[in-house]
Amino acid sequence: MSEHRRKPPQPQGGGRAAARRGQSGSSSGRRAAPRGATGSPSGSYGPEDEERPYGGRAEARRAAQRNGGGRRRAAEPARGGRRAGGAASGPGRGRVTASGKKRLIDYPRGDRDGWQRWVPSWKLVSGLCIAFFGGLVAAAGIAYAMVGIPDVAKTAKAQNNVYYWANGEVMVATGGERNRQVIKLSQIPKAMQNAVISQENKTFYSDSGIDPKGIARAVFNMARGGETQGGSTITQQYVKNAMLEDQSQTVSRKVREILVSVKVGAEVDKDEILEGYLNSAYYGRGAYGIQAAARAYFNKDAVDLSPGECALLSAVLKGATYYDPAGATSIDPAATPAANRKRAFTQMQDTLDKMVEYGHLAQAERAKYTELPTVQNPRSNTQLGGQIGYLVDLARASLIKEGVATRDQLDQGGYEIHTTFDKKKVQDLEAAVTKVYKANIKPEKRPKTDTHVQFGGASVNPGTGAIEAIYGGADATKHFTNNADVTGAQVGSTFKPFVLAAAMKWGVRDPDGPEDQPQDERTVVSPKSLYSGQNDLKIKNYDGTIWTNEKGEQWRQENDGKDSLGDPPDYKIDLREAMRESVNSAYVQLGMDVGLDKVKEAAVSAGLLEDSLTGTNYPSFSIGVSDPSAIRMAGSYATFAASGKQRAPFSVTKVVREGEQIYSHEDKAKVEQAFTAKVADNVTDVLKTVVEDGTGSNAQLPGREVAGKTGTTDGNKSAWFVGYTPQLSTAISMFRYPDDESIKNRTFLEMYGTGDQDKIHGASFPSEIWHDYMEQALKGQPAKKFPTPEPIGEVINATPPPSPSPTPSKTEKPSPSPSPTPSQTPTSPSPTPTDTCGVFDWQCENGDNNGNKNGGNDTAGGDGSPSPSPSTSATEGDPGNNGPGGGTIWGSSG
């Protein structure tokens, strides 16, 4: 046997292992035998020694734990599920794996059973929270260290946008030049500094640069898919202005903006932040910074601004689209000059009040500024003179509406914008307007009648919907409002084709049926249908009852010159002739029989915007109290020219940036079948009559078929001609509206005597301009014919039934010819509430007009709601429109 024997094992008689063995054997009442008492020789190391199950205390513990698990499971049924066996209840249970290794995270919890295993311990929860927030702090610290303080001077750098004519020729390169001049804080009036602080961030000099509530609101909005909103503090807005390279509304950008704001707030002087913000903020009109804004709005240096002017500019910072007193209808029809002035004034006054409240302005000084300051017209870029500025505005607004680019992105530039505008047509339209204006409008000679005369126009291709030309005004750098877009000028009788289209599409209602009758219970109308052309016609509901407003007042429709047209004694006239002569009474009653809701639907289907339609609950709706734009009127008539196919007018064909095409109109172009070809072609056929031998005869083009309609409004405040050939649809408007922002409560002016004419009609200057322009625009294009219409509808009122109880009234003497004859005032007996008239009983005179011969109130630009009292109205040569009057209600249009 080797002399180098193994070290004998340590005695096992004492220590914790022995104690455990003693405990396990305590049930028999015997102590564990000492080593050697088992009969094994103490000095021998034979096979018996190698069979010892445990080599030490650690192995013994592990074995006890392993064996204890089995014993515990065996004992559980007898002990109500509780642990059994001393080895199983050791303090390390659950944190040690089967292999004996300790787990880093005790989850699920090994020392718990059932659902309790899945409830984390407070140690685990607190540890995870500490780790999570510690990680956030560490990440925020790293991010804070990595972000830099932005250089606001870089915002002055931008590229131009290049606009192209339809033929690919460059129209203008503009938009990249930033109208901005940096000035020192000492050159910025204290009133401007305090106005911004008072309105936007009263704690500016004491806060950390961020607004936790504003941030929470932005995060909540983003979570809901909404806008993140702008920075709530001046510091955040300054940072946003300086971070123009990324204006996306994303969580990552917002987080980065917050980190930068915190760093700027901590490391940059507050005066420096305020100076940077006022020098980089956008005030509208292409003006970045307070100096450029002072020049753009008031033509003065910033240092010379008054507290009232400063308060107005601080209001504009909320959004120039809605607070610039000049308006921005090219971007949003709701941003009219009147609405913007109201918003700007309210915001300006609120800012001044806060300046007083926070001790920045004396009450006596504040009392000086109770009116909106006078601002100048917004344009100064000579590249945008003439029609170019209007064209650029139209294309730019289109891109913003379509979501192709934001205003800020367009301001950064770099876009190639290909438009639909035909250079020659634009020049031809401007030349036609200029020719008529110079020949007839003499402001110096007739200042009371010829000042503030405005023209607008637009041409739309019926086959594509492309806007090929517009006339927005004399000069985009001098006249800001685009007259081809929404102006508020009512369209008068150019609205009547939509009434006829509705009557041919849906038909008139059965007088005995319900108000909302399905189409199969209606009677489609033929152009040969007869309606009364009587002047002062008492308008009825479709069921024959007299129409009254909520005050019980009736409506009597007045014709041009108070003439009754048609064959006496009942003055029947077919719808073709009524359109040719623009007879109001016939089309107002037709609209009532069809239903004004269907008339509205026809107008919208043709292409008018629903928000441009007003007075939809009053009979006058059918004769044009609404004020769509020239672009939309041209587009809606183009629907008739295209045999009922409606294409929304558009101005941009494609957009390219950095060599990549990012937008194409073809991808989004839609064609809707607004009317059947039968309906649209019959409307066209009736409108051809207007030009061939009616009020629109000035628009005749030798060798070409032309369809169109004249329109003049009540009070002679606007006049229109809208017409088309198969290739081109054009609308021309004329009105008088002061272009001077200093004039308070500006309204449309009457045109009696304008151009040395008694009255202005759609048949006069507008149709002359239309003729001169279209003659040149279509030169070289082959003459095309309109489709021959299929017969449509039934002849309504061919033999109207006699009234069961005719009421005597004074009328004109019978005339052997259908030519217009003056009518005398019809008189009516006292009203009989139970009497009703048949829907086609033209001479039935139920109801009372109290002998009132007043005309309808002028509603040019109004909402079509009844006025509280009647007023005398002027009538037109070419019937115009009017809204509901008061007392006995009358109306005239054309």
Side-chain angles (χ1 to χ4, degrees):
M1 181 177 294
S2 172
E3 295 179 355
H4 302 283
R5 299 178 125 186
R6 288 187 303 169
K7 184 179 180 180
Q10 296 297 320
Q12 302 295 316
R16 285 176 291 177
R20 283 195 296 272
R21 286 194 296 273
Q23 290 171 357
S24 64
S26 62
S27 59
S28 61
R30 290 179 299 151
R31 293 178 57 127
R35 184 173 181 179
T38 59
S40 176
S42 61
S44 77
Y45 294 92
E48 297 87 354
D49 294 321
E50 295 175 359
E51 292 175 1
R52 291 180 60 86
Y54 315 120
R57 286 179 293 174
E59 287 186 22
R61 280 198 302 271
R62 288 194 291 271
Q65 289 169 351
R66 287 195 296 271
N67 296 334
R71 289 193 298 271
R72 176 176 62 81
R73 288 191 293 271
E76 279 175 353
R79 304 189 60 172
R82 298 178 61 184
R83 290 190 303 271
S89 60
R93 177 64 181 166
R95 294 192 298 273
V96 180
T97 65
S99 61
K101 294 183 179 179
K102 208 169 186 178
R103 291 195 298 174
L104 180 64
I105 298 176
D106 183 24
Y107 191 83
R109 299 175 67 180
D111 59 346
R112 294 289 188 271
D113 296 317
W115 62 268
Q116 293 179 330
R117 296 186 67 227
W118 305 101
V119 178
S121 67
W122 68 268
K123 292 181 179 180
L124 177 61
V125 173
S126 58
L128 291 176
C129 288
I130 293 172
F132 175 75
F133 288 109
L136 283 182
V137 171
I142 295 171
Y144 181 89
M146 291 179 65
V147 299
I149 296 176
D151 183 1
V152 74
K154 292 180 180 178
T155 63
K157 300 177 181 179
Q159 304 176 64
N160 277 323
N161 295 315
V162 182
Y163 292 82
Y164 296 87
W165 293 105
N167 63 1
E169 182 181 335
V170 174
M171 179 197 305
V172 66
T174 186
E177 69 286 348
R178 292 203 172 233
N179 181 15
R180 186 166 81 91
Q181 179 182 347
V182 177
I183 58 177
K184 296 293 185 182
L185 190 64
S186 59
Q187 296 175 280
I188 301 175
K190 270 291 183 183
M192 186 65 205
Q193 301 175 39
N194 291 329
V196 172
I197 291 172
S198 299
Q199 186 58 252
E200 299 186 29
N201 187 190
K202 66 180 181 181
T203 61
F204 169 68
Y205 277 104
S206 60
D207 62 36
S208 63
I210 62 171
D211 175 15
K213 290 183 179 179
I215 294 170
R217 183 171 59 250
V219 172
F220 178 71
N221 286 339
M222 283 189 291
R224 294 195 312 166
E227 292 293 328
T228 61
Q229 301 181 349
S232 299
T233 67
I234 289 176
T235 303
Q236 284 179 266
Q237 294 180 57
Y238 164 78
V239 169
K240 182 179 179 181
N241 293 340
M243 293 171 62
L244 276 177
E245 76 281 0
D246 182 9
Q247 289 292 311
S248 60
Q249 294 292 319
T250 62
V251 174
S252 61
R253 191 205 66 83
K254 196 68 179 177
V255 170
R256 180 167 175 253
E257 180 184 307
I258 292 169
L259 289 170
V260 175
S261 298
V262 171
K263 193 163 191 174
V264 169
E267 300 182 16
V268 180
D269 183 76
K270 289 288 186 178
D271 282 346
E272 185 179 341
I273 294 172
L274 184 60
E275 176 185 302
Y277 171 61
L278 292 174
N279 276 317
S280 63
Y282 182 64
Y283 296 78
R285 303 189 176 193
Y288 287 80
I290 184 62
Q291 175 65 14
R295 283 292 174 189
Y297 284 87
F298 305 111
N299 196 28
K300 62 171 65 174
D301 290 328
V303 70
D304 297 323
L305 293 172
S306 70
E309 292 167 340
C310 291
L312 174 58
L313 291 180
S314 73
V316 171
L317 285 174
K318 294 181 69 66
T321 298
Y322 301 102
Y323 289 89
D324 183 344
T329 53
S330 63
I331 296 177
D332 188 341
T336 62
N340 278 20
R341 285 196 298 274
K342 182 177 180 180
R343 279 188 286 261
F345 176 77
T346 301
Q347 185 70 16
M348 166 192 163
Q349 295 299 308
D350 181 65
T351 298
L352 291 169
D353 289 341
K354 287 181 178 178
M355 291 172 70
V356 173
E357 179 184 350
Y358 302 145
H360 299 314
L361 185 67
Q363 181 62 51
E365 181 70 10
R366 186 260 178 273
K368 298 178 182 178
Y369 308 106
T370 57
E371 296 181 355
L372 201 66
T374 300
V375 298
Q376 64 180 1
N377 279 337
R379 236 182 257 287
S380 59
N381 188 340
T382 55
Q383 292 186 84
L384 302 177
Q387 301 305 304
I388 300 298
Y390 303 124
L391 299 172
V392 167
D393 279 351
L394 195 61
R396 179 184 171 93
S398 173
L399 296 181
I400 294 173
K401 289 178 183 178
E402 290 286 339
V404 179
T406 65
R407 187 207 70 201
D408 288 335
Q409 289 170 336
L410 288 171
D411 287 340
Q412 293 177 65
Y415 292 86
E416 297 177 24
I417 301 163
H418 296 258
T419 74
T420 60
F421 308 130
D422 185 303
K423 183 176 181 180
K424 180 181 180 299
K425 288 185 175 71
V426 170
Q427 294 172 342
D428 290 340
L429 182 52
E430 184 176 28
V433 173
T434 303
K435 174 185 173 183
V436 168
Y437 186 95
K438 288 184 176 180
N440 300 281
I441 310 302
K442 309 290 183 182
E444 301 83 5
K445 184 178 180 179
R446 296 181 293 271
K448 291 184 178 180
T449 60
D450 286 20
T451 55
H452 309 304
V453 174
Q454 303 285 342
F455 290 97
S459 278
V460 173
N461 186 316
T464 63
I467 303 171
E468 297 192 347
I470 64 168
Y471 179 83
D475 190 329
T477 63
K478 299 175 182 177
H479 171 70
F480 179 62
T481 302
N482 185 350
N483 292 345
D485 212 332
V486 177
T487 62
Q490 296 179 338
V491 296
S493 285
T494 57
F495 198 80
K496 288 175 182 172
F498 306 123
V499 183
L500 181 61
M504 291 179 173
K505 180 175 181 178
W506 286 283
V508 298
R509 293 172 285 187
D510 182 349
D512 298 325
E515 184 175 2
D516 188 17
Q517 297 173 23
Q519 190 168 7
D520 58 1
E521 295 179 11
R522 295 167 173 255
T523 303
V524 173
V525 171
S526 163
K528 296 180 181 179
S529 297
L530 302 176
Y531 270 77
S532 176
Q534 182 180 357
N535 183 55
D536 297 340
L537 179 68
K538 188 175 291 187
I539 300 302
K540 296 181 282 293
N541 295 306
Y542 80 97
D543 60 3
T545 58
I546 301 299
W547 185 92
T548 59
N549 65 8
E550 61 273 11
K551 298 180 180 179
E553 299 165 331
Q554 300 171 358
W555 180 276
R556 281 183 176 273
Q557 184 56 54
E558 188 175 86
N559 287 332
D560 166 45
K562 302 181 181 179
D563 290 335
S564 292
L565 288 86
D567 296 326
D570 51 8
Y571 297 98
K572 290 186 297 183
I573 186 172
D574 70 39
L575 294 177
R576 182 184 297 274
E577 291 300 299
M579 186 74 77
R580 181 175 70 85
E581 295 296 335
S582 201
V583 181
N584 299 328
S585 55
Y587 275 91
V588 169
Q589 187 59 60
L590 177 62
M592 298 300 291
D593 293 348
V594 174
L596 298 181
D597 60 329
K598 298 302 183 186
V599 174
K600 176 182 177 180
E601 188 174 339
V604 173
S605 296
L608 298 188
L609 297 178
E610 188 170 357
D611 59 12
S612 70
L613 304 179
T614 58
T616 55
N617 295 324
Y618 297 91
S620 60
F621 178 64
S622 294
I623 49 175
V625 295
S626 300
D627 55 4
S629 67
I631 292 172
R632 284 288 170 174
M633 286 300 291
S636 63
Y637 272 49
T639 300
F640 298 129
S643 293
K645 291 183 175 64
Q646 194 273 326
R647 298 172 174 87
F650 70 100
S651 58
V652 176
T653 57
K654 67 177 181 179
V655 178
V656 177
R657 192 178 194 198
E658 296 179 354
E660 179 182 355
Q661 182 170 306
I662 63 173
Y663 170 79
S664 170
H665 174 75
E666 291 182 2
D667 297 338
K668 295 188 176 184
K670 294 181 180 179
V671 180
E672 303 287 344
Q673 192 70 44
F675 309 103
T676 64
K678 180 186 289 189
V679 170
D681 293 345
N682 271 279
V683 171
T684 294
D685 195 56
V686 171
L687 295 181
K688 283 172 58 181
T689 308
V690 175
V691 177
E692 291 169 355
D693 190 25
T695 57
S697 58
N698 281 345
Q700 293 176 5
L701 297 174
R704 293 184 185 273
E705 289 191 350
V706 176
K709 185 68 187 76
T710 56
T712 308
T713 59
D714 184 51
N716 203 213
K717 295 184 177 180
S718 62
W720 290 72
F721 184 80
V722 187
Y724 55 94
T725 67
Q727 298 108 312
L728 195 62
S729 177
T730 299
I732 302 295
S733 65
M734 177 181 178
F735 52 91
R736 287 184 67 207
Y737 189 80
D739 194 28
D740 188 349
E741 291 285 344
S742 64
I743 298 177
K744 299 177 184 178
N745 302 319
R746 292 183 295 169
T747 59
F748 287 86
L749 305 175
E750 294 179 342
M751 293 190 291
Y752 298 112
T754 298
D756 203 25
Q757 297 193 7
D758 292 339
K759 303 169 187 176
I760 298 296
H761 313 139
S764 56
F765 299 147
S767 64
E768 288 182 37
I769 293 172
W770 189 97
H771 169 272
D772 292 350
Y773 161 66
M774 292 289 282
E775 190 174 50
Q776 295 300 315
L778 296 172
K779 185 175 288 186
Q781 295 188 35
K784 293 185 177 181
K785 292 183 178 294
F786 291 114
T788 301
E790 299 179 26
I792 191 171
E794 299 180 21
V795 179
I796 305 298
N797 306 324
T799 55
S803 171
S805 55
T807 303
S809 64
K810 293 182 180 180
T811 60
E812 295 89 341
K813 295 179 181 180
S815 171
S817 68
S819 59
T821 57
S823 65
Q824 297 177 341
T825 306
T827 59
S828 305
S830 299
T832 304
T834 58
D835 289 344
T836 59
C837 294
V839 69
F840 304 132
D841 295 345
W842 308 123
Q843 293 300 312
C844 181
E845 289 293 292
N846 286 350
D848 183 20
N849 71 347
N850 301 319
N852 189 342
K853 277 293 293 179
N854 287 337
N857 287 341
D858 169 32
T859 60
D863 60 6
S865 59
S867 299
S869 60
S871 63
T872 303
S873 73
T875 57
E876 300 76 46
D878 177 30
N881 68 15
N882 100 297
T888 298
I889 307 178
W890 302 70
S892 63
S893 77

